[in-house]
Amino acid sequence: MKDFKQIQKWLAEADAVIVTAGNGFAQMEGLDMFEDAAFPIEYQAVSKKYHIKTIADALDKNFDSWDEKWQFWSQLINEYSVEYEPSKAMKQLKELLNGKNYFIATSAFGHFFETAGFEQEKIFDVFGDWTRMQCSSGLNHGTYSDLSVVKRYINGQGEIPRCEDCDSPMEIHMPLNAHFFPDEDANTRFRWFLTRNQTKKVVVLELGVDPTSPQLLDPMVKLVEQFKDWHYVAADLSQDELPDNIQKRSAGLGMALPEVIEKISKNEG
């Protein structure tokens, strides 16, 4: 179904809106993890040394030293997060959710929603946030902003950040290894949001979720199946990819994200 007036009606009548944003959303905001033709050129030294061609490959690679890691991480964070400017579609989404009871669960770790001005308390960064750092020891000593570290490395004055509790090197807050600790507070807030709204009118707005973040896809579809007043709007999936028992309460658009967000925002039919 591609009846945007119906989708807008669902949104207008909703008591709550849940946005799930994945790798496709990050691509829309300029960060492509898996296909980046410019990567071997922009990060030539790293690309040649470790035989890697994408950001995803680089994040999975074990570099020779912590200093080399932080040099590279700082370049990425500076380019894709510090210098990030919200896209037109991101601004339209913010306007769409303005005044609504919403929550965002995203695997896009580039700090996009926070920078765009969405409420921090309404965001769960499922795969972490690389503008924050954690202890590499495997113990949960909390997370801290790494932006001052990034700035020093970009200015050629970088120094490996170390844990205040155990003096281990700090690493970016992402699931690079078994040391990753999800944001438990944000996870709890999201779960309570789901619980409080389970019997209300809810729209799940899926934006750019793919197999790299299944925890944002299957569980949300299951919730829509379970609660009769929930609707599912999938930007990426076609209608026939959605379960039969939610067909009448769902819209599988199979369209590019900017077009979906623009049409929903403008109430175009």
Side-chain angles (χ1 to χ4, degrees):
M1 181 190 75
K2 294 185 180 180
D3 185 344
F4 286 96
K5 289 184 178 180
Q6 179 62 66
I7 295 170
Q8 188 68 18
K9 184 173 185 292
W10 290 344
L11 287 165
E13 295 176 350
D15 299 306
V17 179
I18 299 166
V19 174
T20 57
N23 184 58
F25 195 93
Q27 291 175 8
M28 184 182 78
E29 296 308 292
L31 174 57
D32 192 331
M33 286 277 292
F34 303 101
E35 295 182 15
D36 186 353
F39 181 86
I41 301 172
E42 293 182 8
Y43 300 93
Q44 188 174 31
V46 168
S47 180
K48 285 186 175 181
K49 181 177 179 179
Y50 294 105
H51 306 289
I52 49 181
K53 297 182 179 180
T54 67
I55 294 173
D57 290 339
L59 291 175
D60 283 338
K61 204 73 176 179
N62 187 19
F63 286 14
D64 289 342
S65 70
W66 281 102
D67 185 64
E68 191 177 24
K69 287 180 182 180
W70 273 106
Q71 286 184 31
F72 176 68
W73 290 340
S74 295
Q75 286 180 275
L76 289 177
I77 295 166
N78 184 68
E79 179 178 354
Y80 294 103
S81 295
V82 175
E83 298 181 352
Y84 163 69
E85 291 289 339
S87 67
K88 177 184 176 181
M90 174 67 96
K91 293 175 181 177
Q92 290 174 328
L93 179 63
K94 188 171 185 292
E95 184 177 351
L96 177 66
L97 296 180
N98 184 38
K100 296 186 183 297
N101 180 30
Y102 71 86
F103 208 102
I104 298 166
T106 177
S107 61
F109 46 80
H111 205 71
F112 302 127
F113 289 100
E114 292 88 346
T115 301
F118 290 85
E119 296 180 50
Q120 177 71 53
E121 297 297 301
K122 296 182 178 181
I123 304 170
F124 177 29
D125 292 302
V126 178
F127 285 177
D129 176 348
W130 68 5
T131 70
R132 300 191 67 77
M133 57 185 176
Q134 64 177 37
C135 180
S136 64
S137 68
L139 299 177
N140 189 357
H141 290 152
T143 65
Y144 305 87
S145 173
D146 61 22
L147 294 181
S148 62
V149 177
V150 169
K151 183 178 180 179
R152 288 196 297 271
Y153 267 99
I154 293 299
N155 291 334
Q157 301 169 334
E159 184 177 341
I160 301 166
R162 308 196 77 88
C163 178
E164 296 178 359
D165 292 303
C166 70
D167 201 43
S168 296
M170 300 290 280
E171 61 188 1
I172 53 176
H173 184 231
M174 288 181 60
L176 305 180
N177 50 50
H179 299 164
F180 177 68
F181 289 94
D183 186 336
E184 294 178 0
D185 292 337
N187 188 17
T188 298
R189 289 195 299 271
F190 183 43
R191 289 179 179 276
W192 274 114
F193 186 88
L194 296 174
T195 301
R196 286 195 301 269
N197 291 287
Q198 61 183 353
T199 59
K200 298 180 180 180
K201 294 180 179 179
V202 174
V203 173
V204 177
L205 184 57
E206 176 270 299
L207 301 174
V209 175
D210 58 29
T212 64
S213 49
Q215 59 274 71
L216 294 179
L217 182 59
D218 296 339
M220 299 311 301
V221 171
K222 293 296 183 184
L223 287 174
V224 175
E225 288 182 299
Q226 184 175 353
F227 301 118
K228 62 181 180 61
D229 290 324
W230 286 38
H231 296 278
Y232 196 82
V233 178
D236 303 86
L237 302 178
S238 62
Q239 191 71 27
D240 59 8
E241 291 180 282
L242 297 170
D244 292 341
N245 58 349
I246 65 168
Q247 285 287 326
K248 294 182 179 179
R249 295 187 285 118
S250 65
L253 303 175
M255 297 168 59
L257 295 189
E259 184 179 4
V260 169
I261 295 171
E262 182 172 17
K263 285 183 175 291
I264 292 175
S265 300
K266 292 185 176 180
N267 194 19
E268 295 181 354

